[in-house]
Amino acid sequence: GGRLLLPTGSLQDVGALLRTARSLYDRLVETASRMIPLPGTLAESPVVRSLVDDGVVNLTPRGSRFLWEAKIWELEPGST
């Protein structure tokens, strides 16, 4: 009777996580989402910029800051 929740953030390769989750679970439902400011020193890091350029990490510019998105997914187990 419990629930299985999967937290994700746009600071990680969300696509790979969701592809794996979809291969294991019948249904993924986004239950919560929040935009969170990224500290400027981290946003300006060469490593983070490289991950953004490669499409692994997604940041949203807003004013002079960058935001990352945190999401919570509820997973329903497969019948197999």
Coordinates of all heavy atoms in Angstrom, one line a residue:
G1 N 0.8 -1.2 0.0 CA 0.0 0.0 0.0 C 0.8 1.3 0.0 O 0.3 2.3 0.1
G2 N 2.2 1.1 -0.1 CA 3.0 2.3 -0.1 C 3.2 2.9 -1.5 O 2.6 2.5 -2.4
R3 N 3.9 4.0 -1.5 CA 4.2 4.6 -2.8 C 5.7 4.7 -3.0 O 6.5 4.8 -2.1 CB 3.7 6.1 -2.8 CG 2.2 6.2 -2.6 CD 1.7 7.6 -2.6 NE 2.6 8.6 -2.3 CZ 2.3 9.9 -2.5 NH1 1.2 10.3 -2.9 NH2 3.2 10.8 -2.2
L4 N 6.1 4.6 -4.3 CA 7.5 4.7 -4.7 C 7.7 6.0 -5.4 O 7.0 6.3 -6.4 CB 7.9 3.5 -5.6 CG 9.3 3.5 -6.1 CD1 10.3 3.4 -4.9 CD2 9.5 2.3 -7.0
L5 N 8.6 6.8 -4.8 CA 8.8 8.2 -5.4 C 10.2 8.2 -5.9 O 11.2 7.7 -5.3 CB 8.6 9.2 -4.3 CG 7.2 9.3 -3.7 CD1 7.2 10.3 -2.5 CD2 6.1 9.6 -4.7
L6 N 10.4 8.9 -7.0 CA 11.7 9.1 -7.7 C 11.9 10.6 -7.8 O 11.3 11.3 -8.5 CB 11.7 8.5 -9.1 CG 12.9 8.7 -9.9 CD1 14.2 8.1 -9.3 CD2 12.7 8.2 -11.3
P7 N 12.9 11.1 -7.0 CA 13.3 12.5 -7.2 C 14.3 12.7 -8.3 O 15.2 11.9 -8.5 CB 13.9 12.9 -5.8 CG 14.5 11.6 -5.3 CD 13.6 10.5 -5.9
T8 N 14.1 13.7 -9.1 CA 15.0 14.0 -10.2 C 15.3 15.5 -10.2 O 14.6 16.3 -9.6 CB 14.5 13.6 -11.6 OG1 13.3 14.4 -11.9 CG2 14.2 12.2 -11.7
G9 N 16.4 15.9 -10.8 CA 16.7 17.3 -10.9 C 17.4 17.6 -12.2 O 18.1 16.7 -12.7
S10 N 17.2 18.7 -12.8 CA 17.8 19.0 -14.0 C 19.3 19.2 -14.0 O 20.0 19.5 -15.0 CB 17.2 20.3 -14.7 OG 17.4 21.4 -13.9
L11 N 19.9 19.0 -12.8 CA 21.4 19.0 -12.6 C 21.9 17.6 -12.9 O 23.1 17.3 -12.7 CB 21.8 19.4 -11.2 CG 21.5 20.9 -10.9 CD1 21.8 21.2 -9.5 CD2 22.3 21.8 -11.8
Q12 N 21.1 16.6 -13.3 CA 21.5 15.3 -13.6 C 20.9 14.9 -15.0 O 20.2 15.7 -15.6 CB 21.0 14.3 -12.5 CG 19.5 14.3 -12.4 CD 19.1 13.6 -11.1 OE1 18.0 13.8 -10.7 NE2 19.8 12.9 -10.4
D13 N 21.3 13.8 -15.5 CA 20.8 13.3 -16.8 C 19.4 12.7 -16.6 O 19.3 11.5 -16.5 CB 21.8 12.3 -17.4 CG 21.5 11.9 -18.8 OD1 20.4 12.4 -19.3 OD2 22.3 11.3 -19.5
V14 N 18.4 13.6 -16.5 CA 17.1 13.2 -16.2 C 16.5 12.2 -17.3 O 15.8 11.2 -17.0 CB 16.1 14.4 -16.1 CG1 14.7 14.0 -15.9 CG2 16.6 15.2 -14.9
G15 N 16.9 12.5 -18.5 CA 16.4 11.6 -19.6 C 16.8 10.1 -19.4 O 16.0 9.2 -19.5
A16 N 18.1 9.9 -19.0 CA 18.5 8.5 -18.8 C 17.8 7.9 -17.6 O 17.4 6.7 -17.6 CB 20.0 8.5 -18.5
L17 N 17.6 8.7 -16.5 CA 16.9 8.2 -15.3 C 15.4 7.8 -15.7 O 14.9 6.7 -15.3 CB 16.8 9.2 -14.2 CG 18.2 9.5 -13.5 CD1 18.1 10.7 -12.6 CD2 18.6 8.2 -12.7
L18 N 14.8 8.7 -16.4 CA 13.4 8.4 -16.8 C 13.2 7.2 -17.8 O 12.3 6.4 -17.7 CB 12.7 9.6 -17.3 CG 12.5 10.8 -16.3 CD1 11.8 12.0 -16.9 CD2 11.8 10.3 -15.0
R19 N 14.2 7.1 -18.7 CA 14.1 6.0 -19.6 C 14.3 4.7 -18.9 O 13.5 3.7 -19.1 CB 15.3 6.1 -20.7 CG 15.0 7.0 -21.8 CD 16.0 6.9 -22.9 NE 17.4 7.2 -22.5 CZ 17.8 8.4 -22.4 NH1 17.1 9.5 -22.7 NH2 19.1 8.6 -22.0
T20 N 15.2 4.6 -17.9 CA 15.3 3.4 -17.1 C 14.1 3.1 -16.3 O 13.6 2.0 -16.2 CB 16.6 3.5 -16.2 OG1 17.7 3.7 -17.0 CG2 16.7 2.3 -15.3
A21 N 13.5 4.2 -15.6 CA 12.3 4.0 -14.8 C 11.2 3.5 -15.7 O 10.4 2.6 -15.3 CB 12.0 5.3 -14.1
R22 N 11.0 4.1 -16.9 CA 9.9 3.6 -17.8 C 10.1 2.2 -18.2 O 9.1 1.5 -18.5 CB 9.8 4.6 -19.0 CG 9.2 5.9 -18.6 CD 9.0 6.8 -19.9 NE 8.4 8.0 -19.5 CZ 9.0 9.2 -19.4 NH1 10.3 9.3 -19.8 NH2 8.4 10.3 -19.0
S23 N 11.3 1.7 -18.3 CA 11.5 0.3 -18.7 C 11.2 -0.6 -17.5 O 10.9 -1.8 -17.7 CB 13.0 0.1 -19.1 OG 13.8 0.1 -18.0
L24 N 11.1 -0.1 -16.3 CA 10.9 -1.0 -15.1 C 9.5 -0.8 -14.5 O 9.0 -1.7 -13.8 CB 11.9 -0.6 -14.0 CG 13.3 -0.9 -14.4 CD1 14.3 -0.3 -13.3 CD2 13.6 -2.4 -14.6
Y25 N 8.8 0.3 -14.8 CA 7.5 0.6 -14.2 C 6.5 1.0 -15.3 O 6.8 1.5 -16.3 CB 7.7 1.8 -13.2 CG 8.6 1.5 -12.1 CD1 9.9 1.8 -12.2 CD2 8.1 0.8 -11.0 CE1 10.8 1.4 -11.1 CE2 9.0 0.4 -9.9 CZ 10.3 0.7 -10.0 OH 11.2 0.4 -9.0
D26 N 5.2 0.6 -15.0 CA 4.2 0.8 -16.0 C 3.8 2.3 -16.1 O 3.5 2.7 -17.2 CB 2.9 0.1 -15.5 CG 3.0 -1.4 -15.7 OD1 3.8 -1.8 -16.5 OD2 2.1 -2.1 -15.1
R27 N 4.0 3.1 -15.1 CA 3.5 4.4 -15.2 C 4.4 5.4 -14.3 O 4.7 5.0 -13.2 CB 2.1 4.5 -14.7 CG 1.3 5.7 -15.2 CD -0.2 5.5 -15.0 NE -0.6 5.8 -13.7 CZ -1.3 6.9 -13.4 NH1 -1.8 7.7 -14.3 NH2 -1.6 7.2 -12.1
L28 N 4.7 6.5 -14.8 CA 5.4 7.6 -14.1 C 4.5 8.8 -14.1 O 4.0 9.2 -15.1 CB 6.7 8.0 -14.7 CG 7.9 7.1 -14.5 CD1 7.8 5.8 -15.3 CD2 9.2 7.8 -14.8
V29 N 4.2 9.3 -12.9 CA 3.4 10.5 -12.8 C 4.2 11.6 -12.1 O 4.6 11.4 -11.0 CB 2.1 10.2 -12.1 CG1 1.2 11.5 -11.9 CG2 1.3 9.1 -12.8
E30 N 4.3 12.8 -12.7 CA 5.0 13.9 -12.0 C 4.0 14.4 -11.0 O 2.9 14.8 -11.2 CB 5.3 15.0 -13.1 CG 6.0 16.2 -12.5 CD 6.3 17.3 -13.5 OE1 6.5 17.0 -14.7 OE2 6.2 18.4 -13.0
T31 N 4.5 14.4 -9.7 CA 3.7 14.9 -8.6 C 4.0 16.2 -8.1 O 3.2 16.9 -7.4 CB 3.7 13.8 -7.5 OG1 5.0 13.7 -7.0 CG2 3.2 12.5 -7.9
A32 N 5.3 16.7 -8.3 CA 5.7 18.0 -7.8 C 6.8 18.5 -8.6 O 7.6 17.7 -9.2 CB 6.1 17.9 -6.3
S33 N 7.0 19.8 -8.7 CA 8.0 20.4 -9.5 C 8.4 21.8 -8.8 O 7.4 22.5 -8.4 CB 7.6 20.6 -10.9 OG 8.6 21.3 -11.6
R34 N 9.6 22.1 -8.8 CA 10.0 23.4 -8.2 C 11.3 23.9 -8.9 O 12.3 23.1 -9.1 CB 10.3 23.2 -6.7 CG 10.7 24.5 -6.0 CD 10.8 24.3 -4.5 NE 11.3 25.5 -3.9 CZ 11.8 25.6 -2.7 NH1 11.8 24.5 -2.0 NH2 12.2 26.7 -2.3
M35 N 11.4 25.1 -9.2 CA 12.6 25.8 -9.7 C 13.4 26.3 -8.6 O 12.9 26.9 -7.7 CB 12.2 26.9 -10.7 CG 11.4 26.5 -11.9 SD 12.2 25.3 -12.9 CE 13.4 26.2 -13.8
I36 N 14.7 26.0 -8.6 CA 15.6 26.4 -7.5 C 16.8 27.1 -8.1 O 17.4 26.7 -9.0 CB 16.1 25.1 -6.8 CG1 14.9 24.3 -6.3 CG2 17.1 25.4 -5.6 CD1 15.2 22.9 -5.8
P37 N 17.1 28.3 -7.5 CA 18.3 29.1 -7.9 C 19.6 28.3 -7.7 O 19.8 27.6 -6.7 CB 18.3 30.3 -7.1 CG 16.9 30.4 -6.5 CD 16.4 29.0 -6.4
L38 N 20.5 28.3 -8.7 CA 21.8 27.7 -8.7 C 22.8 28.8 -8.3 O 22.8 29.9 -8.8 CB 22.2 27.2 -10.0 CG 23.4 26.3 -10.1 CD1 23.3 25.0 -9.4 CD2 23.8 26.0 -11.6
P39 N 23.6 28.6 -7.3 CA 24.6 29.6 -6.9 C 25.5 30.0 -8.1 O 25.9 29.2 -8.9 CB 25.4 28.9 -5.8 CG 24.6 27.8 -5.3 CD 23.7 27.4 -6.4
G40 N 25.7 31.3 -8.2 CA 26.5 31.8 -9.3 C 27.8 31.2 -9.5 O 28.2 30.9 -10.7
T41 N 28.5 30.9 -8.5 CA 29.9 30.3 -8.7 C 29.7 28.9 -9.3 O 30.6 28.5 -10.1 CB 30.6 30.2 -7.3 OG1 29.8 29.5 -6.4 CG2 31.0 31.5 -6.8
L42 N 28.7 28.2 -9.0 CA 28.5 26.8 -9.5 C 28.0 27.0 -11.0 O 28.5 26.2 -11.9 CB 27.5 26.1 -8.7 CG 27.3 24.6 -9.1 CD1 28.6 23.8 -9.1 CD2 26.3 24.0 -8.2
A43 N 27.1 27.9 -11.3 CA 26.6 28.1 -12.6 C 27.8 28.5 -13.6 O 27.7 28.2 -14.8 CB 25.5 29.1 -12.6
E44 N 28.8 29.2 -13.1 CA 29.9 29.7 -13.9 C 31.0 28.7 -14.0 O 32.0 28.9 -14.7 CB 30.4 31.0 -13.3 CG 29.4 32.1 -13.4 CD 29.8 33.3 -12.5 OE1 30.9 33.3 -12.0 OE2 28.9 34.2 -12.4
S45 N 30.9 27.6 -13.3 CA 31.9 26.5 -13.3 C 32.1 26.0 -14.7 O 31.1 25.7 -15.4 CB 31.5 25.4 -12.3 OG 32.2 24.2 -12.7
P46 N 33.4 25.8 -15.2 CA 33.6 25.2 -16.5 C 33.0 23.8 -16.7 O 32.5 23.5 -17.7 CB 35.1 25.1 -16.6 CG 35.6 26.1 -15.6 CD 34.6 26.2 -14.5
V47 N 33.0 23.0 -15.6 CA 32.4 21.7 -15.7 C 30.9 21.8 -15.9 O 30.4 21.1 -16.8 CB 32.7 20.9 -14.4 CG1 32.0 19.6 -14.4 CG2 34.2 20.7 -14.2
V48 N 30.2 22.6 -15.1 CA 28.8 22.8 -15.3 C 28.5 23.3 -16.7 O 27.6 22.9 -17.4 CB 28.2 23.7 -14.2 CG1 26.7 24.0 -14.5 CG2 28.3 23.0 -12.8
R49 N 29.2 24.3 -17.2 CA 29.0 24.9 -18.5 C 29.2 23.8 -19.6 O 28.4 23.8 -20.5 CB 30.0 26.1 -18.8 CG 29.8 27.3 -17.9 CD 28.4 27.9 -17.8 NE 27.7 28.0 -19.0 CZ 26.3 28.0 -19.0 NH1 25.6 28.0 -17.9 NH2 25.7 28.1 -20.2
S50 N 30.2 22.9 -19.4 CA 30.4 21.9 -20.4 C 29.2 20.9 -20.4 O 28.7 20.5 -21.4 CB 31.7 21.1 -20.0 OG 31.8 20.0 -20.9
L51 N 28.7 20.6 -19.2 CA 27.5 19.7 -19.1 C 26.3 20.3 -19.7 O 25.5 19.6 -20.4 CB 27.2 19.3 -17.6 CG 28.3 18.4 -17.0 CD1 28.0 18.3 -15.5 CD2 28.3 17.0 -17.6
V52 N 26.1 21.6 -19.5 CA 25.0 22.3 -20.2 C 25.2 22.3 -21.7 O 24.2 22.0 -22.4 CB 24.9 23.8 -19.7 CG1 23.9 24.6 -20.5 CG2 24.5 23.8 -18.2
D53 N 26.4 22.6 -22.2 CA 26.6 22.6 -23.6 C 26.4 21.2 -24.2 O 26.0 21.1 -25.4 CB 28.1 23.1 -23.9 CG 28.3 24.5 -23.6 OD1 27.3 25.3 -23.4 OD2 29.5 24.9 -23.4
D54 N 26.7 20.2 -23.5 CA 26.5 18.8 -24.0 C 25.0 18.3 -23.8 O 24.7 17.2 -24.3 CB 27.4 17.8 -23.2 CG 28.9 18.1 -23.6 OD1 29.2 18.7 -24.6 OD2 29.7 17.6 -22.8
G55 N 24.2 19.1 -23.2 CA 22.8 18.8 -23.1 C 22.5 17.8 -21.9 O 21.4 17.2 -21.8
V56 N 23.5 17.5 -21.0 CA 23.3 16.6 -19.9 C 22.5 17.3 -18.8 O 21.7 16.8 -18.2 CB 24.6 16.1 -19.4 CG1 24.4 15.2 -18.2 CG2 25.3 15.3 -20.5
V57 N 22.9 18.6 -18.5 CA 22.3 19.4 -17.5 C 21.5 20.5 -18.1 O 21.9 21.1 -19.1 CB 23.4 20.0 -16.6 CG1 22.9 21.0 -15.6 CG2 24.1 18.9 -15.8
N58 N 20.3 20.8 -17.6 CA 19.5 21.9 -18.1 C 19.3 22.9 -17.0 O 18.8 22.7 -15.9 CB 18.1 21.3 -18.5 CG 18.2 20.4 -19.7 OD1 18.8 20.7 -20.7 ND2 17.8 19.2 -19.5
L59 N 19.7 24.2 -17.4 CA 19.5 25.3 -16.5 C 18.6 26.3 -17.2 O 18.7 26.5 -18.5 CB 20.8 26.0 -16.2 CG 21.8 25.1 -15.4 CD1 23.1 25.8 -15.2 CD2 21.3 24.6 -14.1
T60 N 17.8 27.0 -16.5 CA 16.9 28.0 -17.1 C 17.4 29.4 -16.6 O 17.4 29.7 -15.4 CB 15.4 27.8 -16.6 OG1 15.0 26.5 -16.9 CG2 14.5 28.8 -17.2
P61 N 17.7 30.3 -17.6 CA 18.1 31.6 -17.2 C 16.9 32.4 -16.7 O 15.8 32.4 -17.3 CB 18.7 32.2 -18.5 CG 18.2 31.4 -19.6 CD 17.8 30.1 -19.0
R62 N 17.1 33.2 -15.6 CA 16.0 34.1 -15.2 C 16.7 35.3 -14.6 O 17.3 35.2 -13.5 CB 15.1 33.4 -14.2 CG 14.0 34.4 -13.7 CD 12.8 33.7 -13.1 NE 12.2 32.7 -14.0 CZ 11.6 31.6 -13.5 NH1 11.4 31.4 -12.2 NH2 11.0 30.8 -14.3
G63 N 16.6 36.4 -15.3 CA 17.4 37.6 -14.8 C 18.9 37.3 -14.9 O 19.4 36.8 -15.9
S64 N 19.6 37.6 -13.8 CA 21.0 37.4 -13.8 C 21.4 36.0 -13.2 O 22.5 35.7 -13.0 CB 21.7 38.5 -12.9 OG 21.2 38.4 -11.6
R65 N 20.4 35.2 -12.9 CA 20.6 33.9 -12.3 C 20.2 32.7 -13.2 O 19.5 32.9 -14.2 CB 19.8 33.8 -11.0 CG 20.2 34.9 -10.0 CD 19.7 34.7 -8.7 NE 20.5 33.7 -8.0 CZ 20.3 33.3 -6.8 NH1 19.3 33.8 -6.1 NH2 21.1 32.5 -6.2
F66 N 20.7 31.5 -12.8 CA 20.2 30.3 -13.5 C 19.4 29.5 -12.5 O 19.8 29.5 -11.3 CB 21.4 29.5 -14.0 CG 22.0 30.1 -15.2 CD1 23.1 30.9 -15.1 CD2 21.5 29.8 -16.5 CE1 23.7 31.5 -16.3 CE2 22.1 30.3 -17.6 CZ 23.2 31.2 -17.5
L67 N 18.4 28.8 -12.9 CA 17.6 28.0 -12.1 C 17.7 26.5 -12.6 O 17.8 26.3 -13.8 CB 16.1 28.4 -12.1 CG 15.8 29.9 -11.8 CD1 14.3 30.1 -12.0 CD2 16.2 30.2 -10.4
W68 N 17.6 25.6 -11.6 CA 17.5 24.2 -12.0 C 16.1 23.7 -11.5 O 15.5 24.3 -10.6 CB 18.7 23.3 -11.5 CG 18.8 23.2 -10.0 CD1 19.3 24.2 -9.1 CD2 18.3 22.2 -9.2 NE1 19.3 23.7 -7.8 CE2 18.7 22.5 -7.8 CE3 17.7 20.9 -9.4 CZ2 18.4 21.6 -6.8 CZ3 17.4 20.1 -8.4 CH2 17.7 20.5 -7.1
E69 N 15.6 22.6 -12.1 CA 14.3 22.1 -11.7 C 14.4 20.8 -11.0 O 15.0 19.9 -11.5 CB 13.5 22.0 -13.0 CG 12.0 21.6 -12.7 CD 11.2 21.6 -14.0 OE1 11.7 21.5 -15.1 OE2 10.0 21.8 -13.8
A70 N 13.7 20.8 -9.9 CA 13.6 19.5 -9.1 C 12.2 19.0 -9.3 O 11.2 19.8 -9.3 CB 13.8 19.8 -7.6
K71 N 12.1 17.7 -9.6 CA 10.8 17.0 -9.8 C 10.7 15.8 -8.9 O 11.7 15.1 -8.7 CB 10.5 16.7 -11.2 CG 10.3 17.8 -12.1 CD 10.0 17.4 -13.5 CE 9.7 18.6 -14.4 NZ 9.3 18.2 -15.8
I72 N 9.5 15.4 -8.5 CA 9.2 14.2 -7.9 C 8.2 13.4 -8.7 O 7.2 13.9 -9.2 CB 8.5 14.4 -6.5 CG1 9.4 15.3 -5.6 CG2 8.2 13.1 -5.8 CD1 10.7 14.7 -5.2
W73 N 8.6 12.2 -9.0 CA 7.7 11.3 -9.8 C 7.2 10.1 -8.9 O 7.9 9.6 -8.1 CB 8.6 10.7 -10.9 CG 9.2 11.7 -11.8 CD1 10.4 12.3 -11.6 CD2 8.7 12.2 -13.1 NE1 10.6 13.2 -12.6 CE2 9.6 13.1 -13.5 CE3 7.6 11.9 -13.8 CZ2 9.4 13.8 -14.7 CZ3 7.4 12.6 -15.0 CH2 8.3 13.5 -15.5
E74 N 6.0 9.8 -9.1 CA 5.4 8.6 -8.5 C 5.4 7.5 -9.5 O 5.0 7.6 -10.6 CB 4.0 8.8 -8.0 CG 3.4 7.7 -7.2 CD 2.1 8.0 -6.5 OE1 1.7 9.1 -6.5 OE2 1.5 7.0 -6.0
L75 N 5.9 6.3 -9.1 CA 6.1 5.2 -10.0 C 5.1 4.1 -9.6 O 4.8 3.8 -8.4 CB 7.5 4.6 -9.9 CG 8.6 5.6 -10.0 CD1 10.0 4.9 -9.8 CD2 8.6 6.2 -11.4
E76 N 4.5 3.4 -10.6 CA 3.6 2.3 -10.4 C 4.3 1.1 -11.0 O 4.7 1.0 -12.1 CB 2.3 2.5 -11.1 CG 1.5 3.6 -10.5 CD 0.1 3.8 -11.1 OE1 -0.3 3.0 -11.9 OE2 -0.6 4.7 -10.7
P77 N 4.5 0.0 -10.2 CA 5.2 -1.2 -10.6 C 4.5 -1.9 -11.8 O 3.3 -1.8 -11.9 CB 5.2 -2.1 -9.4 CG 4.4 -1.4 -8.4 CD 4.0 -0.1 -8.8
G78 N 5.4 -2.5 -12.6 CA 4.8 -3.3 -13.7 C 4.2 -4.6 -13.2 O 4.4 -5.0 -12.1
S79 N 3.5 -5.2 -14.1 CA 2.8 -6.4 -13.8 C 3.6 -7.7 -14.0 O 3.2 -8.8 -13.7 CB 1.5 -6.5 -14.6 OG 1.8 -6.5 -16.0
T80 N 4.9 -7.5 -14.5 CA 5.8 -8.6 -14.7 C 6.6 -8.9 -13.5 O 6.8 -8.1 -12.7 CB 6.7 -8.4 -16.0 OG1 7.4 -7.2 -15.7 CG2 5.8 -8.3 -17.2

